[in-house]
Amino acid sequence: MGILNLCALVGSLTAGKTSDVIGRRYTIALSSVIFLVGSVVMGYGPNYAVLMVGRCIAGVGVGFALMIAPVYSAEIASASHRGFLTSLPELCISLGILLGYVSNYCFGKLALKLGWRLMLGLAAIPSMILAFGILKMPESPRWLVMQGRLEEAKKIMVLISNTEEEAEERFRDILAAAEIEEDGAVKAVGRACMERAGDNPTPAHATGIEAVVLYSPKIFEKAGVTSKDKLLLATVGVGLTKAVLIVIATFLLDKVGRRKLLLTSTGGMVFASTSLAIGLTMVHRFGRLVWALRLSIVSAYTFVAFFSIGLGPITWVYSSEIFPLRLRAQGASIGVATITMGGVFFMFAGIAVVAWWFFFFMLPETKGVPLEEIEKLFGGGDARGARDGLEIQAKRVNNKI
């Protein structure tokens, strides 16, 4: 299980530069093809080595998709709907996890040799649909501007905006952020920025969600659920909880804002992770204590719920918003996850505490703010101030809206 995340990290690191070269749309198509090949190899898998090769290939495809999907969504969406659209990849990840749990339960009733092959091989179908479907979608106008293809960018901006006036305003903002004149000439400052080496972004999702999602059967087994069918149904419950809460979050992002959801989500995860750690530790040391078993199960669901209402979708939204245009793809290209069991949830709780502090003191609200204005807030434009300066500008932008 862990090898997929490792290879996904390689894929996400590669995808940033790839999308800057071939474009956002073709990078999504490429990720679909890579994952399709991985799924077919896994479904075929005559031995362990081939299965692992397929898993690695699929992991690279996952890394590509995780990085490029929110970037593409953010770059074609208007400011008023960007939170909703950019969180859809996380929603679809949750639906995929739910379908995976359901397929485990269904295919688990088939012969072992056939069941797991169908489960892994069927993943090629949505990959094929995406590979062809994305070709009908427009290229990111922001990427086209960076390539100097201004006429194409302007036409696409009209297609994805509500009015021609909105399209014209968004197009001018992009030109200003890219330091490009309307006639296509690159300003001296812009040329220097484009030639400058890319920065490395910070990692995300080191709060334990991968441990709960991947190892939920083990967690529930530790918590006293031993029947195979009950274990699989319990994991279906995890997937259902994750999907439902992310659906709710997608509608709240552009209404409530990023900060409030992030702080609520991370605070709840601290509580749930600590409770889960206590419950599993008590079961491990003192045996099947009824209250500890119940606490562990409830805490696992609570953890997933709080993650899904905020940190899950908003990580992708924020990472695709805050980086400047020239570095957006590379800036969104790192994802980190950690996995283990039992007492390590205390560590996850500690990480979540640090995350809550960071979100509260360091991240301004970006709800409804154009990407080009956000670039100024985070020092990509003419505002390169300290933390106080960021807060003042964020308040001004939101008050204006």
Side-chain angles (χ1 to χ4, degrees), residues 206-217:
T207 52
I209 189 63
E210 287 289 318
V212 175
V213 170
L214 289 179
Y215 289 94
S216 54

Side-chain angles (χ1 to χ4, degrees), residues 102-124:
V102 172
S103 70
N104 284 347
Y105 182 74
C106 297
F107 294 143
K109 300 182 183 300
L110 301 177
L112 179 61
K113 187 174 182 180
L114 178 63
W116 68 266
R117 292 182 187 277
L118 285 173
M119 180 190 70
L120 295 174
L122 283 177

Side-chain angles (χ1 to χ4, degrees), residues 179-256:
E179 300 286 354
I180 296 176
E181 304 283 5
E182 290 243 23
D183 60 2
V186 181
K187 298 178 184 177
V189 175
R191 187 179 295 110
C193 290
M194 291 178 196
E195 291 172 353
R196 189 167 59 195
D199 298 332
N200 288 326
T202 54
H205 282 194
T207 52
I209 189 63
E210 287 289 318
V212 175
V213 170
L214 289 179
Y215 289 94
S216 54
K218 287 290 185 183
I219 292 173
F220 292 129
E221 188 176 353
K222 288 278 187 182
V225 181
T226 55
S227 165
K228 176 185 173 183
D229 281 350
K230 289 181 179 179
L231 277 174
L232 291 175
L233 283 175
T235 60
V236 170
V238 170
L240 188 60
T241 301
K242 198 171 188 296
V244 170
L245 268 295
I246 286 183
V247 169
I248 295 173
T250 57
F251 291 100
L252 293 178
L253 274 167
D254 292 315
K255 298 181 184 298
V256 176

Side-chain angles (χ1 to χ4, degrees), residues 4-34:
L4 184 133
N5 282 335
L6 183 63
C7 294
L9 178 60
V10 175
S12 65
L13 288 169
T14 309
K17 198 65 178 177
T18 302
S19 70
D20 285 340
V21 174
I22 68 173
R24 314 314 195 210
R25 194 170 55 135
Y26 287 119
T27 302
I28 293 176
L30 177 61
S31 72
S32 301
V33 172
I34 294 173

Side-chain angles (χ1 to χ4, degrees), residues 310-368:
L311 190 59
I314 295 175
T315 296
W316 308 116
V317 175
Y318 233 124
S319 64
S320 60
E321 288 179 335
I322 65 175
F323 293 103
L325 177 59
R326 65 186 179 277
L327 298 174
R328 185 167 296 131
Q330 297 178 57
S333 67
I334 288 183
V336 176
T338 56
I339 51 174
T340 51
M341 180 70 70
V344 80
F345 281 97
F346 283 117
M347 180 188 72
F348 291 145
I351 294 173
V353 169
V354 175
W356 190 95
W357 182 92
F358 177 81
F359 297 149
F360 186 83
F361 289 104
M362 302 301 292
L363 297 186
E365 181 57 70
T366 59
K367 179 187 68 173

